[in-house]
Amino acid sequence: MTLDSKTPDGPLAEKWDKHKFDLKLVNPANKRKYTVIVVGTGLAGGAAAASLGEMGYNVLNFCIQDSARRAHSIAAQGGINAAKNYPNDGDSIWRLFYDTVKGGDYRSREANVYRLAQVSNNIIDQCVAQGVPFAREYGGLLDNRSFGGAQVSRTFYARGQTGQQLLLGAYSSLMRQVETGKVKMFPRYEMLDLVVKDGHAKGIVTRNLVTGEIKSFAGDAVVLATGGYGNVFYLSTNAKNSNATAAWRCHKRGALFANPCYTQIHPTCIPVSGDYQSKLTLMSESLRNDGRVWVPKKKGDTRKPNEIPEDERDYYLERRYPSFGNLVPRDVASRNAKNACDEGKGVGDTGLAVYLDFANAIERMGEDTVRDKYGNLFDMYERITGENPYKVPMRIFPAVHYTMGGLWVDYNLMSNVPGLFVLGEANFSDHGANRLGASALMQGLADGYFVIPYTLGDYLANAGVSGTAIDSVEFQDAEEEVNAQIDKLLSINGKKTVTDFSRQLGLNLWNNVGMARNEKGLNTALKEIPELKTEFWSELKVPNDKASLNKNLEFATRVADYFELAELMARDALERTESCGGHFREESQTEEGEALRDDENFSHVTAWEYTGEGKAPNLHKESLEFKNVKLTQRSYK
């Protein structure tokens, strides 16, 4: 299989504009003849459904929640990047492009990243027009703050709830199209399979999460915007409904899965407090603008933080990376926090935490100013921990947050299955081996508002109206397979719960395919995950209620997919014997303990092809060419 990225020719800065002109168009009067299925209602899915409806297409939009407003995009707190250069501090489209490529450790496709930087400014204009209440300076201009991996202030924000406000903007546009009848919304529906007819994606099979009904829907194209797969680790910052099933079922229908081992560990999360937890809570990276990260210099120091004098504190990020300090990228900050705890300098009851201290910021700016910038985040921390972060430092520790891997797509955001487009975190395209903070919202809205409206039209103009009916054999076969798997899960009647298996799998992944990986641990994972999977299919207990709301059944279908995905993640990590970004192989590091890439052998995307149950997947590679940036050892010192 040859992977054609369909990257346009010509100078980098002109590729997207030239490509848009070369794409075929659908006549406005013909758009009403096409039906487009959009799965997901977060920023990528909501923006895509709203835009395509506005353009005149008939859109079927599927939402796993009871409302599009509950999509996990609301959890993005800190901000959204754009190259407006409002602070006049040297930012530009080129600098945003370069920071993103460098932040991803030179493992992303240049053309996609440059396009993302290009359209970033349009996103801010779009959102302001929708009424998104971005923070403003005293004079009324939009304010910016800094984020990790950049030396300029380019992050637009709405206090500590940027994702929620942006989602409400997209939601208002989406609901307008629902009201006009161009978008039909299906809340509480989960996609369980992709229907491929004559090699093209032509529909999906869903389960109504309230009634249990299995139902198919046909369309001329399918747009997948279902987020990432971080919950495969069980404990992550993702909402529990965030899962990998839609993308994984597409993978099993032929879509290649790219870079599955690239997982982002966020350095600023509230530490684990007990086995009862089913998820972790993120403290925004924006806090690292003014908060200082430190640990005691002495191992095993159990004194309270305010009792430790300044000269006995190790501000290790400021010490190791003087140019960026506390604003190093997430992978760098996470590994350093882990190392500090591994050395015995961790704090809190478990020793698996470091301090994020705002004492200097409060002294410098005043508590009222800090409250204005971060108040809701401080309130959330206090409600969860019972500690007042205005008086004592926050305790933070890295946790699984974002997945850079996803379904492989070309420059048009179409997978190798024609007619299947993949947007946002569900694809692999923009972030390489590590995502810079405030870039997830940027990518989701870029894909939904400014890329898919052009590229989808080109596909439809070439493919024509399909008229595919849901009574065709392809739909019937897909429905039968979905029902068969559900019946199999319900028939096991074992003794262990879905949560038991999910927690056990997640702990295995965290220990062996987490912040640091090595050959021994990866081989252990590849041995133990199939064994646990076998036990899952013989000892699982799911209440036998197929025709109504059944949360255990929902989770069981997802955990069944997690087992297969987890094995692929470990296989991909084992195959990539270099370190890059969030993929840190202990065998490949510099003398200073930084990630050491192997550009000669691994400057490529790994794209895995599903070959059948129990069979080894086929590996395909897309070479990454860097014609505009120089490959260098990443440094933030």
Side-chain angles (χ1 to χ4, degrees):
M1 183 184 298
T2 301
L3 295 181
D4 181 5
S5 69
K6 295 185 173 62
T7 301
D9 296 327
L12 185 65
E14 299 174 10
K15 287 182 184 293
W16 178 231
D17 290 336
K18 178 181 182 298
H19 189 62
K20 286 192 293 184
F21 180 78
D22 291 339
L23 292 173
K24 288 189 176 181
L25 303 176
V26 177
N27 184 295
N30 288 335
K31 286 175 181 171
R32 67 177 69 100
K33 301 176 182 178
Y34 291 96
T35 296
V36 181
I37 294 172
V38 179
V39 186
T41 55
L43 287 183
S51 298
L52 297 173
E54 184 77 40
M55 296 172 72
Y57 295 106
N58 301 303
V59 179
L60 306 180
N61 195 192
F62 294 85
C63 175
I64 200 171
Q65 311 284 3
D66 59 347
S67 167
R69 291 173 297 174
R70 296 186 186 274
H72 189 58
S73 298
I74 67 167
Q77 301 159 335
I80 177 172
N81 288 330
K84 287 284 195 181
N85 194 33
Y86 284 170
N88 197 29
D89 58 357
D91 202 9
S92 64
I93 290 173
W94 176 266
R95 190 177 294 277
L96 175 54
F97 155 73
Y98 178 77
D99 285 347
T100 305
V101 171
K102 177 184 175 184
D105 218 350
Y106 305 95
R107 289 295 177 261
S108 50
R109 195 187 287 149
E110 275 191 342
N112 286 68
V113 178
Y114 193 89
R115 175 177 63 189
L116 178 63
Q118 272 183 294
V119 304
S120 66
N121 293 335
N122 297 335
I123 295 170
I124 303 304
D125 297 338
Q126 170 90 356
C127 295
V128 169
Q130 291 173 335
V132 173
F134 286 122
R136 294 180 181 268
E137 296 177 334
Y138 178 77
L141 298 177
L142 297 184
D143 196 15
N144 290 106
R145 58 188 178 198
S146 300
F147 255 64
Q151 291 183 303
V152 298
S153 295
R154 64 162 67 101
T155 303
F156 295 78
Y157 64 99
R159 212 175 189 184
Q161 49 185 264
T162 313
Q164 180 176 359
Q165 297 302 328
L166 290 171
L167 186 66
L168 289 173
Y171 175 77
S172 64
S173 298
L174 177 59
M175 289 301 103
R176 178 177 181 273
Q177 295 308 311
V178 171
E179 182 66 23
T180 65
K182 295 308 296 180
V183 175
K184 188 173 182 181
M185 182 67 67
F186 295 87
R188 302 302 302 274
Y189 276 72
E190 182 170 18
M191 174 182 164
L192 294 182
D193 210 346
L194 177 75
V195 180
V196 179
K197 181 178 174 62
D198 299 327
H200 290 246
K202 291 299 181 183
I204 63 173
V205 179
T206 67
R207 181 174 183 267
N208 184 315
L209 298 180
V210 177
T211 68
E213 179 188 14
I214 302 300
K215 188 174 182 179
S216 296
F217 296 86
D220 297 289
V222 176
V223 177
L224 195 72
T226 52
Y229 48 91
N231 272 337
V232 68
F233 286 88
Y234 185 67
L235 285 180
S236 81
T237 65
N238 288 261
K240 291 306 293 182
N241 259 354
S242 299
N243 67 87
T245 286
W248 190 252
R249 302 295 171 88
C250 290
H251 173 58
K252 296 178 78 167
R253 291 294 180 185
L256 300 180
F257 209 110
N259 297 336
C261 77
Y262 287 165
T263 304
Q264 179 164 85
I265 312 295
H266 198 294
T268 318
C269 299
I270 297 179
V272 175
S273 57
D275 292 339
Y276 62 88
Q277 282 183 271
S278 61
K279 73 175 300 296
L280 296 173
T281 303
L282 173 70
M283 290 285 100
S284 170
E285 182 175 318
S286 63
L287 296 172
R288 288 198 280 143
N289 270 287
D290 295 303
R292 301 179 71 193
V293 178
W294 64 275
V295 292
K297 289 183 178 179
K298 185 175 67 175
K299 296 180 180 179
D301 193 333
T302 59
R303 288 177 293 175
K304 295 180 179 179
N306 292 341
E307 296 175 354
I308 301 176
E310 190 73 15
D311 62 353
E312 295 182 33
R313 301 179 178 186
D314 181 10
Y315 295 92
Y316 56 87
L317 292 179
E318 298 173 33
R319 171 174 55 83
R320 294 197 63 185
Y321 310 98
S323 294
F324 283 75
N326 295 296
L327 289 175
V328 292
R330 292 173 175 177
D331 61 315
V332 177
S334 294
R335 280 197 298 275
N336 277 270
K338 178 182 184 298
N339 291 340
C341 294
D342 289 346
E343 292 172 1
K345 298 179 180 179
V347 302
D349 294 337
T350 64
L352 295 177
V354 300
Y355 288 128
L356 180 62
D357 196 338
F358 276 82
N360 286 3
I362 291 173
E363 182 180 354
R364 184 178 73 252
M365 299 186 295
E367 185 174 317
D368 289 343
T369 300
V370 172
R371 193 180 301 274
D372 287 342
K373 295 176 72 173
Y374 308 112
N376 60 309
L377 298 172
F378 278 50
D379 293 343
M380 182 168 64
Y381 181 87
E382 184 170 10
R383 280 196 291 271
I384 292 172
T385 65
E387 300 173 0
N388 184 348
Y390 294 103
K391 304 300 182 184
V392 296
M394 292 182 180
R395 289 175 293 107
I396 59 171
F397 192 69
V400 172
H401 178 56
Y402 187 94
T403 48
M404 284 75 65
L407 295 184
W408 183 89
V409 292
D410 62 19
Y411 188 72
N412 293 324
L413 303 185
M414 188 164 71
S415 73
N416 60 295
V417 177
L420 174 63
F421 293 82
V422 190
L423 313 186
E425 191 180 358
N427 74 33
F428 87 102
S429 66
D430 290 356
H431 306 297
N434 174 63
R435 178 178 65 80
L436 292 184
S439 287
L441 302 181
M442 176 174 62
Q443 185 206 355
L445 291 179
D447 289 355
Y449 282 138
F450 298 108
V451 179
I452 196 64
Y454 289 94
T455 59
L456 177 69
D458 179 73
Y459 168 76
L460 294 175
N462 284 293
V465 180
S466 67
T468 301
I470 59 173
D471 60 358
S472 66
V473 65
E474 290 82 3
F475 280 87
Q476 293 174 7
D477 289 346
E479 282 193 24
E480 288 177 6
E481 290 182 30
V482 167
N483 276 305
Q485 191 206 42
I486 290 174
D487 291 338
K488 184 178 179 182
L489 288 167
L490 293 173
S491 69
I492 298 171
N493 200 29
K495 297 179 180 179
K496 293 180 66 173
T497 68
V498 175
T499 299
D500 289 337
F501 283 108
S502 184
R503 184 186 286 115
Q504 196 171 346
L505 173 64
L507 184 62
N508 189 302
L509 270 185
W510 178 250
N511 289 335
N512 296 308
V513 200
M515 265 193 284
R517 297 98 183 258
N518 57 55
E519 184 177 0
K520 180 181 178 182
L522 293 170
N523 280 317
T524 296
L526 287 170
K527 175 180 179 294
E528 294 179 350
I529 290 172
E531 293 173 352
L532 187 60
K533 177 185 173 184
T534 299
E535 184 184 356
F536 172 85
W537 284 105
S538 62
E539 292 297 327
L540 177 67
K541 174 69 175 180
V542 178
N544 193 351
D545 194 353
K546 182 178 179 180
S548 65
L549 179 67
N550 187 339
K551 297 300 290 185
N552 288 284
L553 178 57
E554 286 178 38
F555 290 142
T557 61
R558 299 166 193 170
V559 173
D561 293 330
Y562 286 160
F563 277 109
E564 298 178 1
L565 172 57
E567 191 173 348
L568 185 65
M569 292 168 65
R571 186 184 297 272
D572 188 48
L574 183 63
E575 190 276 338
R576 189 175 285 274
T577 57
E578 66 164 354
S579 289
C580 55
H583 169 64
F584 189 76
R585 284 290 297 265
E586 292 178 348
E587 303 93 335
S588 182
Q589 55 182 300
T590 66
E591 293 181 358
E592 296 81 19
E594 305 293 347
L596 181 62
R597 296 194 320 270
D598 179 356
D599 294 328
E600 182 177 352
N601 294 304
F602 291 99
S603 189
H604 61 249
V605 176
T606 57
W608 296 91
E609 177 188 6
Y610 182 77
T611 58
E613 178 69 28
K615 298 180 180 179
N618 289 334
L619 173 60
H620 306 277
K621 299 177 182 179
E622 178 198 339
S623 295
L624 294 171
E625 297 182 2
F626 294 91
K627 300 179 179 179
N628 299 276
V629 298
K630 183 180 179 181
L631 291 171
T632 59
Q633 176 63 35
R634 203 168 48 139
S635 174
Y636 294 95
K637 296 192 172 189

